[in-house]
Amino acid sequence: MAEGTFQVELDLQEHYRFSVRFDDPALPVLVTDEPPPLGAGAGPNPARLLGAAVANCLAASLLFALRKFGNEPGAVHATAAVTLARNEQGRLRVPAIRVDIQLGVPAQALKRLDRALEQFEEFCVVTQSVRAGIAVEVRVTDSKGIPLKL
């Protein structure tokens, strides 16, 4: 993405279900919804989208960092654990997100892994943006489950 502004348009379909259109006509319309009892759970709600955005951005940044050094990390799997908690006013907030990324190859198969792990988070637009208000913890393991970054 380049610097600038982009638009995302939402239209209410019914109750709490929205259709989300992106500024790229090639992208499909996304349906969002609140879970019951407010909505029908017809799509992800904003908190789930936030978790997906953080995990996706981190996984893509790690892929970029690894590929920059000529690596192919295999099948990458990322999981975002989004914590919901009530603030002092009793309103639900997202105080923390933990992202676990598992690479599809053993650590020994990757060149300059230490360098990639050292810098990939700095290039993640979404994570670095939300960290101003939300604690984000990142853990990376290789295909054998060996911790590479805690």
Side-chain angles (χ1 to χ4, degrees):
M1 289 181 64
E3 285 186 48
T5 303
F6 66 89
Q7 279 190 203
V8 177
E9 296 182 25
L10 287 81
D11 291 303
L12 179 64
Q13 292 179 340
E14 66 177 334
H15 302 293
Y16 290 88
R17 187 174 66 213
F18 286 85
S19 61
V20 182
R21 287 180 180 72
F22 300 93
D23 58 352
D24 181 346
L27 296 174
V29 173
L30 174 69
V31 173
T32 63
D33 198 0
E34 290 294 327
L38 288 178
N45 67 354
R48 285 179 169 83
L49 291 171
L50 177 63
V54 169
N56 189 169
C57 190
L58 284 164
S61 291
L62 181 54
L63 281 172
F64 180 83
L66 289 168
R67 288 176 175 160
K68 183 170 67 171
F69 296 118
N71 294 301
E72 188 47 59
V76 173
H77 177 79
T79 303
V82 178
T83 300
L84 290 174
R86 296 208 180 267
N87 66 8
E88 297 82 30
Q89 294 79 31
R91 294 185 176 90
L92 278 177
R93 297 294 183 255
V94 176
I97 300 171
R98 188 189 75 237
V99 176
D100 292 297
I101 303 171
Q102 184 170 26
L103 302 176
V105 297
Q108 303 88 324
L110 300 170
K111 299 174 278 199
R112 304 191 72 187
L113 176 61
D114 56 337
R115 185 94 188 275
L117 291 171
E118 178 183 294
Q119 60 183 230
F120 82 96
E121 289 182 58
E122 291 300 316
F123 294 98
C124 182
V125 173
V126 174
T127 301
Q128 296 301 42
S129 298
V130 301
R131 272 190 167 142
I134 298 172
V136 178
E137 177 187 346
V138 182
R139 301 185 304 190
V140 179
T141 57
D142 72 359
S143 63
K144 297 177 182 177
I146 296 172
L148 305 174
K149 179 183 184 319
L150 297 176

